Amino acid sequence: MNTDEIIRKLEQLNIFSSELDIPELQRREMVNQVVDYTNTFINGLNKTKGYEKKEIGNLAIQKNKSSLTGLLNKYQKEVAESGINAASPKHLGYIPGGGVFTAALADFIAAVTNPFASAYFASPGAATIENEVINWLKSVFSFPPNSVGNLSSGGSISTLIAFTAARDKYKIKNELIPKTVVYLSKQAHHSAQKALRIIGLEDVIIRYIPLDINHRIIPKKLHELIETDKSYGLNPFLIIATAGTTDTGTIDPLNDIADVAEMHKLWYHIDGAYGGFFILTSHKDLFLGIQRADSLIIDPHKGLFLPYGVGAVLVKDANAVLHSNYYTANYMQDGHNEELLSSPANLSPELTKHFRGLRVWLPLQLHGIEPFISCLEEKLLLIAYFRNKLYEIGFCLGPEPDLSVSYFWYPFETDADEKNKQLMNEIHKDGSVFLSSSIINNQFVIRIAILAFRTKKETIDEAVEMIARCLKIVLQSNKQ
Ligand SMILES: Cc1ncc(COP(=O)(O)O)c(C=O)c1O
């Protein structure tokens, strides 16, 4: 093609391609429309249900263009009004958080300015924000300044980074794998075992550490297991403790477990994905020893109430993390001389990634830490309030949790598991507040997780009323 032809073709293409770079007036209109939509959504949160089960309509990408108004209507109907309303105060299942608004503003700014936060060379400012968030986390959890960290998409990927570092530091490969032992609690989150599988450690030996009646690891039993394994010539490797279990809200005795890990020179990992930020509250003594972990994960999209999509990992041994994640390539040579640890990409499997640091940094700077701490303290009181209320209407409760997750069941005289399942179904059918279920010690239980920042006493009152209402239906249906 000659130059004139190229220019003519470019002019033709520009008629369509320039549509992606919309002018200011249109930008304003669109942003206003989205702001109106999100305001209506937020204003309605107290009135809408926590859970709505429904068939989803057609969301396929259409050949013809659609209007933003039409798409927002569709979004509201098919996305916002279906399933769990995770922004709502009434999400009390799994592990909620809510999604603070100022983090959404940060995401908007990050997406519009689109800095390449993964490499210090490419965006020193964005990389520094990521690193300052990590520095703040190090100070919250008393990790040493020379430890490293990374902002991931969530707890599962953070675990992957931590375990990979552990694997590489302890050189767990080839014939050593089937002799290698990992110690964890039955209450550990499944992302731990999933991560082991993903990083090629599927064939390690898993030892479940005996727990006390509060679902906490018994350090003495852990020590005994390790001794026995050593006497059989096995290779004890990794201990996983949890600071806030998903089902029971338990914090394992972190400091005593650290003693065992240190004595046997094992890698000590703590999962604080759900519970970690409660270290900022009056319950901080329960976290004693957390700073002794080799690796720690914490999820700002849980305990800092940020929208889904940001987890964090801290690791003491920088070289272990670099070993698996730092790589060079010819096309990356311009940035090679930059400080290794200033580029998030060197500490993570991700190269190009969302600039997550901003959605943590901006809310913390705008609000200060106090409102976050107050929200967490609130949740600790709300779980106690909920348990009292439920006890008053005849429910059995799991042991008093350390944090804001607890479980319960109704003591039906016969077929208790079946009838509690029925109760769970009624609760889901009702949907005014969302709860989820689990199996603990082979028993079907309903669990409540109070962590969404918008959840207040009124929400808990609504939850108790709903549970009582659903219980009545189950009791009546079983009479007939
Ligand atoms: C204790 C704990 N660890 C890890 C995870 C996994 O985190 P994510 O869902 O962000 O991958 C969860 C999720 O609920 C959790 O509760």
Side-chain angles (χ1 to χ4, degrees), residues 234-301:
L234 298 175
N235 178 42
F237 156 53
L238 167 68
I239 299 170
I240 302 165
T242 309
T245 56
T246 316
D247 263 354
T248 62
T250 306
I251 301 181
D252 287 320
L254 305 178
N255 207 36
D256 294 345
I257 298 171
D259 289 342
V260 179
E262 222 166 81
M263 181 192 304
H264 293 283
K265 299 192 171 51
L266 307 197
W267 183 284
Y268 183 25
H269 174 79
I270 297 179
D271 177 349
Y274 147 60
F277 285 110
F278 283 97
I279 197 172
L280 296 166
T281 70
S282 49
H283 284 208
K284 68 171 180 295
D285 289 351
L286 296 173
F287 292 83
L288 184 74
I290 200 164
Q291 75 288 354
R292 296 174 67 190
D294 292 290
S295 55
L296 166 69
I297 65 159
I298 352 96
D299 269 357
H301 69 190

Side-chain angles (χ1 to χ4, degrees), residues 131-144:
N131 295 333
E132 287 301 345
V133 171
I134 294 297
N135 287 339
W136 177 74
L137 290 169
K138 284 188 212 169
S139 71
V140 168
F141 293 98
S142 305
F143 262 54

Side-chain angles (χ1 to χ4, degrees), residues 86-105:
S88 138
K90 303 172 190 183
H91 179 17
L92 305 173
Y94 306 114
I95 302 288
V100 297
F101 186 73
T102 47
L105 296 181

Side-chain angles (χ1 to χ4, degrees), residues 205-364:
I205 300 162
I206 301 285
R207 290 265 183 267
Y208 290 108
I209 313 157
L211 308 180
D212 66 17
I213 51 163
N214 291 307
H215 308 289
R216 294 192 190 104
I217 286 174
I218 304 171
K220 188 167 165 289
K221 297 281 181 196
L222 169 64
H223 169 71
E224 286 166 9
L225 284 175
I226 297 170
E227 292 273 285
T228 308
D229 285 337
K230 278 183 170 170
S231 74
Y232 281 108
L234 298 175
N235 178 42
F237 156 53
L238 167 68
I239 299 170
I240 302 165
T242 309
T245 56
T246 316
D247 263 354
T248 62
T250 306
I251 301 181
D252 287 320
L254 305 178
N255 207 36
D256 294 345
I257 298 171
D259 289 342
V260 179
E262 222 166 81
M263 181 192 304
H264 293 283
K265 299 192 171 51
L266 307 197
W267 183 284
Y268 183 25
H269 174 79
I270 297 179
D271 177 349
Y274 147 60
F277 285 110
F278 283 97
I279 197 172
L280 296 166
T281 70
S282 49
H283 284 208
K284 68 171 180 295
D285 289 351
L286 296 173
F287 292 83
L288 184 74
I290 200 164
Q291 75 288 354
R292 296 174 67 190
D294 292 290
S295 55
L296 166 69
I297 65 159
I298 352 96
D299 269 357
H301 69 190
K302 296 186 174 76
L304 282 186
F305 325 112
L306 302 185
Y308 294 139
V310 60
V313 57
L314 300 179
V315 183
K316 294 250 174 74
D317 190 322
N319 287 330
V321 187
L322 286 171
H323 177 85
S324 32
N325 295 294
Y326 173 61
Y327 229 86
T328 56
N330 295 343
Y331 43 80
M332 302 286 286
Q333 64 185 355
D334 300 334
H336 275 176
N337 294 332
E338 302 295 343
E339 170 61 45
L340 264 189
L341 299 177
S342 300
S343 291
N346 294 335
L347 303 165
S348 153
E350 293 181 285
L351 177 54
T352 308
K353 64 165 196 138
H354 176 60
F355 175 22
R356 299 182 186 107
L358 196 64
R359 60 188 352 243
V360 187
W361 186 87
L362 193 91
L364 285 174

